[in-house]
Amino acid sequence: MKHVRLLVLTDDLPRASLALAETQCFHPDRREPESERFATLPGRPFHEIHTQAQARLDKIARLIPFEPVTNLEPARVIDQAELARLNDWLGRLWDETSSYEEDFRQLDDQEHLIHEQQAALENFSHLDIDLGMLRAKTRFLNIHVGLVPRENLRQLEGAVALAGYILHVYLERGDNTHVVIVGPADAKDAGLASVLAAAGFQAIPIPEGLDREPTELQRDFEMRLAAIAEERAQLTETLQRWSECYHEPLREAQRTLRLADPLVSLDESLRSRGYLTHLAGWVPAHTVAALRERLDAALAGTYDLSVRDPLPEERPLVPTVPVKSRLLAPFALLVNQYGIPSYGEVDPTPLFALTFLLMFGSMFGDVGQGAVIALAAWTLRGKLGRFWPFGLMAGGSSVLFGFLYGSLFGYEHVLPALWMNPLSDPLLMLRLALIWGVFFIVVACLLAIYNRWAVGQWREALFGHHGVVNLVFYLALIAGGLGLSAGTGEGFGTSGGFGTVPALLVAGSLAALAWHSWLHQQAPVGEKILVVVIETLETLIGYVSNTLSFLRVAAFSLNHVALSIAVFTLADMMGAFGHVVTVVLGNVFVLVLEGGIVMIQVMRLQYYEGFSRYFSGDGHAFRPIRFGRGPA
């Protein structure tokens, strides 16, 4: 990435922003320029007019739908005067259109009122009493109509009885009970209010006009709803006839606003002094020549463009260009769930994709089930969007390992295994999983060392977590462990022992880590000793447990075969039809349940054993300015 500073005439800002948007390579730097002379915000009036015009267009589009603009060619400069004229025209059009919105709102309010009355009628249809009498206030009686949670009904019955009231249940629906409470109008009613509140009582108001025959009321409601629907249809037809002549002008207005988007996006990055405006940003190094060529064509040389490398202290501000590969795009989405790579950091997406597919396939190897996953991803590619290649490749990996294992929908003897069935040698599978774990952790540590060294953090690269000293300790620990297990002392170990050289390397690296930690502790001596001992012990236990964590790769490959055996054992206990049904349902069960669990386990290994070692994920994505609200 390169940092560029652009100085242009303020009057040329619309043309400059259009050129930057067309190149799609300029990520604005929103920091204020070092020179205090550039203090004015020249793009703010343009931004405010654009915001108001876009809001008016959005409101108009709710009532006058039109075909959205997909083509911005030929691109042209939108200046503030043109934008102001467009905003005024949209304001006048909205003044006319808003009268239709008000008419629709009134119809909606009338319809809503009728629906509320219908709901009230439904609530009281089970109450065989004159609703007018319930709604009217009497001199001697207090009447409460409402609903109470069913679990509070017993409590409320006892409480109102003590107050001299009668409770009548007239409807039970869901978790609520509809009740009528009647009692004498005296001072006790004040105490009843607190009782009702404690029981969760909700009063149901009786609207006016419901004291007629329910059938007659319902017929009246339906007639009024039909009249509202007819009036809405007529109003819609009138609006359509009136607005036909505005469809093309509104499309042109949308096109104008989208062409003005680049300058709006630059608003916070612009600073001016008199006739001169300052603009800075980040561009990929390989696009600098194209950017300069486009600015030459747009501004005819009336600009100044300076280019430099990012300063060391600017690294946290430099954006990271995302992965462009269509195949890697779904894996990039999963990587971004953890974080965005920082500038200078190795993008883990290619390694993540490769190791993810290898682990998923080895843990879920079956030709038939993998083919189902791939076929489902292909069939649903329209709904899955950019994520469908992920399912296709995961299914393909499962198919590949299925051929190696000789497994087809759980049948282990239909296809000849190109390698072996996992259950034929479980110990070998466990050893291979440990070897894979060692390889994975070593690669992760090497990436961590490189990432720190690349940004000048050499001390962290040597002594930090998963740095050079940690890697030496881990490799020595593995070498010593191999000596213990092999029992041959050639080179590293003595017969059946850990080995002198590995032991010295382990002790030396732990001592170096402890000394480095001791030097950076600001605490009393006793506390420093405790912290150093805990950190050293954590390093030892952590690497051992992290390596053993990869045994799950072998465990799930064995578990996959074991589940298939269990399915076929159950199927063999059935008749011919039951056998087929059991095998089909068993495969569905394995696909959904075990497939999901394997996915989670692979993600866990990637995030915890991999990313936590070498990937900071505290960067931010490269987002160049472009024409908004649609394809660039």
Side-chain angles (χ1 to χ4, degrees):
M1 297 294 289
K2 297 290 186 180
H3 186 272
V4 300
R5 188 201 65 170
L6 178 64
L7 294 176
V8 298
L9 296 175
T10 303
D11 291 341
D12 288 340
L13 269 180
R15 283 189 290 165
S17 64
L18 185 67
L20 295 176
E22 287 176 333
T23 60
Q24 295 189 44
C25 67
F26 184 86
H27 180 107
D29 181 358
R30 306 193 185 282
R31 292 177 297 172
E32 294 188 7
E34 295 179 359
S35 174
E36 296 181 357
R37 294 178 300 173
F38 295 98
T40 309
L41 299 173
R44 188 53 48 87
F46 191 93
H47 180 278
E48 292 174 352
I49 296 173
H50 183 278
T51 301
Q52 187 179 43
Q54 186 65 62
R56 287 171 170 173
L57 180 63
D58 291 341
K59 290 190 293 185
I60 292 171
R62 290 199 299 265
L63 290 170
I64 309 178
F66 56 89
E67 191 71 22
V69 175
T70 57
N71 183 19
L72 298 182
E73 297 297 335
R76 62 184 182 85
V77 175
I78 307 299
D79 58 25
Q80 186 169 319
E82 180 182 356
L83 191 64
R85 289 194 298 271
L86 174 62
N87 184 40
D88 291 339
W89 179 76
L90 289 172
R92 293 192 301 270
L93 181 59
W94 170 244
D95 289 340
E96 297 181 49
T97 310
S98 60
S99 62
Y100 288 93
E101 184 183 53
E102 178 63 23
D103 292 339
F104 280 116
R105 188 190 63 78
Q106 290 178 1
L107 292 177
D108 290 339
D109 289 344
Q110 295 174 24
E111 189 175 45
H112 180 69
L113 177 61
I114 294 174
H115 286 314
E116 283 188 342
Q117 290 178 323
Q118 285 181 318
L121 182 63
E122 174 69 18
N123 281 332
F124 295 116
S125 62
H126 300 272
L127 189 58
D128 188 15
I129 195 171
D130 184 357
L131 297 180
M133 185 180 69
L134 286 183
R135 185 166 50 83
K137 293 184 177 296
T138 66
R139 181 177 179 183
F140 302 105
L141 290 178
N142 279 326
I143 303 174
H144 302 272
V145 183
L147 54 89
V148 64
R150 186 175 296 181
E151 64 269 16
N152 297 341
L153 180 60
R154 295 273 183 178
Q155 171 191 352
L156 183 61
E157 283 179 332
V160 299
L162 291 176
Y165 280 71
I166 300 173
L167 184 146
H168 171 67
V169 176
Y170 68 90
L171 175 65
E172 291 187 350
R173 178 180 295 165
D175 295 331
N176 293 318
T177 302
H178 294 244
V179 298
V180 176
I181 302 172
V182 183
D186 55 20
K188 293 182 180 179
D189 190 57
L192 182 66
S194 60
V195 172
L196 295 178
F201 178 85
Q202 298 180 29
I204 301 178
I206 303 175
E208 296 183 7
L210 293 187
D211 49 356
R212 292 187 288 156
E213 176 67 28
T215 306
E216 180 184 349
L217 282 170
Q218 188 61 39
R219 186 166 53 250
D220 183 43
F221 290 152
E222 292 174 357
M223 292 176 60
R224 288 164 62 188
L225 287 174
I228 291 174
E230 182 178 357
E231 188 175 352
R232 179 181 283 109
Q234 292 176 354
L235 184 61
T236 302
E237 184 180 353
T238 303
L239 175 62
Q240 289 176 346
R241 287 198 305 268
W242 173 78
S243 63
E244 281 179 358
C245 61
Y246 292 111
H247 286 190
E248 194 56 37
L250 287 173
R251 281 172 50 83
E252 185 61 29
Q254 185 185 58
R255 183 175 182 275
T256 300
L257 290 175
R258 283 181 51 190
L259 287 172
D261 273 339
L263 184 52
V264 175
S265 302
L266 291 172
D267 174 40
E268 296 181 6
S269 309
L270 299 172
R271 297 293 186 277
S272 69
R273 177 175 180 263
Y275 297 104
L276 194 62
T277 294
H278 171 282
L279 175 61
W282 307 96
V283 299
H286 67 277
T287 65
V288 172
L291 176 63
R292 193 184 296 274
E293 181 180 348
R294 183 66 189 87
L295 288 172
D296 282 336
L299 304 178
T302 57
Y303 71 94
D304 177 70
L305 182 69
S306 59
V307 183
R308 62 170 174 80
D309 292 327
L311 302 175
E313 61 270 17
E314 289 180 325
R315 281 187 173 273
L317 303 174
V318 183
T320 303
V321 179
V323 172
K324 297 294 185 181
S325 169
R326 184 176 182 182
L327 292 179
L328 292 179
F331 296 98
L333 291 176
L334 294 175
V335 171
N336 291 342
Q337 295 302 309
Y338 190 92
I340 304 294
S342 297
Y343 177 69
E345 228 179 12
V346 174
D347 188 342
T349 303
L351 178 64
F352 174 84
L354 176 62
T355 55
F356 186 100
L357 293 175
L358 287 175
M359 286 192 285
F360 181 83
S362 64
M363 296 164 73
F364 197 77
D366 187 281
V367 175
Q369 294 166 0
V372 170
I373 295 174
L375 182 61
W378 174 260
T379 305
L380 300 174
R381 61 188 182 278
K383 295 183 178 179
L384 294 176
R386 292 185 300 168
F387 210 72
W388 73 266
F390 174 83
L392 189 66
M393 288 185 282
S397 176
S398 181
V399 169
L400 174 62
F401 278 89
F403 279 116
L404 293 176
Y405 297 158
S407 178
L408 176 66
F409 287 116
Y411 291 95
E412 305 296 335
H413 305 291
V414 175
L415 293 176
L418 298 180
W419 180 40
M420 71 167 191
N421 185 297
L423 275 181
S424 63
D425 194 346
L427 291 180
L428 175 61
M429 297 298 295
L430 293 173
R431 285 197 294 271
L432 290 175
L434 285 177
I435 293 172
W436 169 255
V438 171
F439 171 78
F440 190 94
I441 291 174
V442 168
V443 171
C445 289
L446 290 174
L447 287 174
I449 294 168
Y450 172 81
N451 285 337
R452 293 164 186 169
W453 196 274
V455 298
Q457 299 177 353
W458 62 268
R459 187 183 297 274
E460 287 295 317
L462 290 174
F463 297 102
H465 288 297
H466 318 302
V468 173
V469 177
N470 277 263
L471 183 58
V472 170
F473 160 77
Y474 182 59
L475 292 176
L477 189 66
I478 295 299
L482 291 175
L484 281 172
S485 61
T488 58
E490 301 299 328
F492 270 105
T494 59
S495 179
F498 190 86
T500 304
V501 175
L504 290 175
L505 289 174
V506 167
S509 56
L510 287 177
L513 292 173
W515 177 248
H516 180 263
S517 176
W518 179 275
L519 293 177
H520 289 80
Q521 296 293 331
Q522 301 293 330
V525 175
E527 185 177 334
K528 292 173 68 173
I529 294 175
L530 180 62
V531 171
V532 168
V533 170
I534 292 176
E535 288 185 352
T536 305
L537 187 62
E538 181 185 10
T539 300
L540 175 61
I541 296 176
Y543 277 99
V544 173
S545 63
N546 294 157
T547 305
L548 294 178
S549 181
F550 282 87
L551 289 175
R552 70 190 68 211
V553 176
F556 275 95
S557 66
L558 299 172
N559 179 66
H560 187 74
V561 180
L563 271 179
S564 299
I565 292 175
V567 169
F568 283 102
T569 301
L570 289 175
D572 291 339
M573 300 168 60
M574 308 290 182
F577 179 75
H579 182 94
V580 174
V581 172
T582 304
V583 170
V584 172
L585 293 179
N587 274 275
V588 172
F589 174 80
V590 171
L591 269 169
V592 175
L593 181 64
E594 191 190 2
I597 293 175
V598 166
M599 184 79 66
I600 293 172
Q601 294 301 324
V602 176
M603 292 298 297
R604 186 261 177 206
L605 289 172
Q606 291 283 359
Y607 283 171
Y608 185 72
E609 312 298 349
F611 288 177
S612 64
R613 280 179 162 79
Y614 67 86
F615 183 38
S616 66
D618 55 4
H620 55 281
F622 176 69
R623 301 188 187 280
I625 65 167
R626 48 173 290 175
F627 300 112
R629 295 180 178 256

